[in-house]
Amino acid sequence: LSSLAFIRSAFYGRGVLEFIRGSAYLVWYFRILGAQIGKDVCLYPLGADPMMTEPDLVQIGDQACIDDASVIAHINSQGQFSLNTVAVEERATLKRFTRVLSGGTVLKGATLLEHTLLLAGDIADAYSVWQGWPAEMLVAPPSPRSAPPCIQTASLVCFSEPSGTNNTCNEDNSDRWCWKP
């Protein structure tokens, strides 16, 4: 308990974690506390208050980025206290002042824009963009029915950009509108 107090309040109240934000050391710290974190994850490059309140109930996929966002695995609603898992899947992004409440799930490639609240038990669809308090979908994920014609390569399905001007796919899968089926 005394080591946690030092980690969180040392250096004039800023804490040790302020100095390792956005680094692999912060990822290692939360893994030691029980968080399930994938590889190439960026945690809190601009800090956060609070960071993770219950890291042992948090699952973060590969290449996800959580900026100055709150990931909260507890909820106290009408005197009923509960703890639920919070999941942020691979390549998902939580931007500044975003809050994901207990039981919330951010699916693969989804983005929660600034000042967004994902309520307890809500699910942000894969490859979608959300904003609002509570969260509302701004950009729906591309689907085979509603998307422009796609190009099928050996291993990637590529949908054109929303403007319809680009119908090619990067081989390294860095284009946000491409994914492996």
Side-chain angles (χ1 to χ4, degrees):
L1 183 62
S2 62
S3 62
L4 283 178
F6 171 75
I7 289 171
R8 293 187 177 152
S9 63
F11 301 106
Y12 304 102
R14 292 185 64 194
V16 175
L17 299 181
E18 266 310 295
F19 299 100
I20 60 172
R21 61 186 186 191
S23 71
Y25 300 114
L26 190 61
V27 172
W28 295 344
Y29 171 75
F30 283 115
R31 282 180 182 155
I32 289 170
L33 293 180
Q36 297 174 14
I37 303 175
K39 60 183 178 179
D40 300 327
V41 171
C42 181
L43 288 179
Y44 308 114
L46 297 176
D49 185 28
M51 287 191 180
M52 280 184 226
T53 55
E54 297 89 11
D56 54 329
L57 295 173
V58 175
Q59 301 169 354
I60 303 172
D62 297 342
Q63 298 177 342
C65 180
I66 299 177
D67 199 351
D68 185 2
S70 298
V71 179
I72 301 170
H74 69 272
I75 192 163
N76 189 0
S77 179
Q78 298 177 350
Q80 180 90 10
F81 182 81
S82 64
L83 295 167
N84 298 302
T85 303
V86 175
V88 178
E89 292 188 358
E90 64 186 65
R91 300 185 80 178
T93 303
L94 307 182
K95 295 196 173 194
R96 294 198 72 182
F97 308 120
T98 297
R99 183 169 288 217
V100 179
L101 295 183
S102 175
T105 302
V106 182
L107 296 179
K108 182 178 180 179
T111 300
L112 301 185
L113 297 177
E114 290 83 357
H115 300 281
T116 300
L117 170 66
L118 192 68
L119 295 172
D122 280 357
I123 298 173
D125 295 335
Y127 302 103
S128 60
V129 179
W130 296 71
Q131 187 171 35
W133 203 271
E136 294 180 8
M137 188 184 309
L138 292 180
V139 178
S143 66
R145 290 186 195 149
S146 64
C150 67
I151 298 171
Q152 176 90 32
T153 62
S155 61
L156 300 173
V157 175
C158 307
F159 292 94
S160 67
E161 291 294 323
S163 64
T165 58
N166 180 10
N167 209 16
T168 61
C169 183
N170 298 334
E171 286 299 320
D172 63 351
N173 199 23
S174 64
D175 185 344
R176 70 176 279 133
W177 297 100
C178 294
W179 63 87
K180 293 183 181 182

